[in-house]
Amino acid sequence: MTNWPYPRFIAHRGAGKLAPENTLAAFRHGASFGYRMFEFDVKLSADGKPILMHDATLDRTTTGKGRVDALTLGELAALDAGGWHSPAYAGEPVPTLAAIARYTQANGFMVNIEIKPVPGIEYRTGAAVALDALSLWKGAGTPPLLSSFSEVALEAAHQVAPDLPRALLLDTLPADWLERLRRLECVALDANHRELDAAVIGAAHSAGFKVLCYTVNDRVRAANLLSWGLDGLITDAVDQIAPQS
């Protein structure tokens, strides 16, 4: 991208651990600390609808049990996605991608959509999420940034929505990480922050890529990364790392 429109500070799953992750309540909580961009995870329901959920199963963050993709959107809507966190959030629903699109655009927020397929449906998830994102953010001032650990999902997103920017998520950096970014026609590397130093960030910039990282919750580490030219810092610590600093 010739013009990088995204802020450097990005709230992880809404507001990280301060509110139930991947819910509208978490987005509102992150926004209360001044965050203007949010990272969140999207996968498909049984009837192919994009919803916000990190895990492949429902057990950890909802009152449901078993696989996420075994329930329809209507069945997922009946679950409590907030009570596991604390009583104050009991009754918080599982949000749809459409609901998040409405909320973020109404408030002028930007988003990083992590395409997080249930294993076995990587291509279908990448294509479906990208197509819905293309439609839901049509005419928006800033497009959503799509990212994924799944190269298959990113390839699918590229095929159906080539104009939406993409970032490759990497937990460790393989020797050919630059070649992977080029092959997938990504605009950015999104790496585990432990894999980054000034040399890696400089190499990415020299090759024309932006660099984001996850999940930085220490202010000293954040300051070091930013001093090396990091373009996007994803954090849970929205109450500790001020987005304007």
Side-chain angles (χ1 to χ4, degrees):
M1 298 178 75
T2 54
N3 176 36
W4 183 251
Y6 306 106
R8 290 194 298 169
F9 296 87
I10 305 165
H12 186 226
R13 302 182 196 170
K17 303 180 185 302
L18 301 179
E21 64 182 59
N22 286 321
T23 65
L24 271 171
F27 283 63
R28 294 187 179 105
H29 198 57
S32 74
F33 290 97
Y35 276 75
R36 309 291 295 175
M37 185 169 180
F38 300 90
E39 181 272 352
F40 54 92
D41 307 289
V42 174
K43 45 178 43 77
L44 299 182
S45 64
D47 47 349
K49 304 299 184 183
I51 54 96
L52 273 64
M53 187 75 58
H54 177 273
D55 298 358
T57 57
L58 297 160
D59 304 55
R60 181 176 66 88
T61 60
T62 78
T63 49
K65 302 292 182 185
R67 286 170 31 202
V68 174
D69 64 336
L71 298 189
T72 65
L73 183 60
E75 291 168 330
L76 290 166
L79 301 179
D80 179 350
W84 68 273
H85 181 274
S86 56
Y89 293 109
E92 189 69 24
V94 175
T96 62
L97 182 60
I100 294 301
R102 288 191 294 270
Y103 171 75
T104 54
Q105 290 179 71
N107 289 278
F109 298 149
M110 286 163 271
V111 301
N112 171 197
I113 302 171
E114 181 182 341
I115 305 169
K116 205 164 189 71
V118 171
I121 56 170
E122 288 82 2
Y123 188 91
R124 183 160 71 91
T125 303
V129 172
L131 279 173
D132 273 30
L134 189 65
S135 174
L136 291 167
W137 273 267
K138 184 178 181 180
T142 303
L145 175 65
L146 306 181
S147 63
S148 187
F149 287 101
S150 169
E151 295 187 23
V152 172
L154 285 179
E155 288 170 350
H158 180 208
Q159 287 185 22
V160 302
D163 292 336
L164 290 182
R166 296 169 304 282
L168 175 62
L169 277 159
L170 291 170
D171 194 49
T172 58
L173 290 184
D176 64 343
W177 63 272
L178 274 173
E179 287 71 23
R180 295 187 189 201
L181 292 175
R182 293 188 184 102
R183 180 177 60 82
L184 293 164
E185 296 188 37
C186 291
V187 299
L189 165 70
D190 190 349
N192 185 324
H193 75 91
R194 295 178 181 87
E195 294 292 293
L196 298 183
D197 54 25
V200 172
I201 294 173
H205 285 168
S206 294
F209 298 104
K210 300 294 185 180
V211 183
L212 298 88
C213 71
Y214 66 92
T215 305
V216 184
N217 297 327
D218 178 81
R219 284 182 286 186
V220 173
R221 177 62 172 164
N224 285 337
L225 287 159
L226 293 166
S227 73
W228 298 331
L230 184 75
D231 301 289
L233 183 143
I234 300 170
T235 182
D236 294 316
V238 296
D239 59 336
Q240 299 294 317
I241 298 175
Q244 67 274 13
S245 64

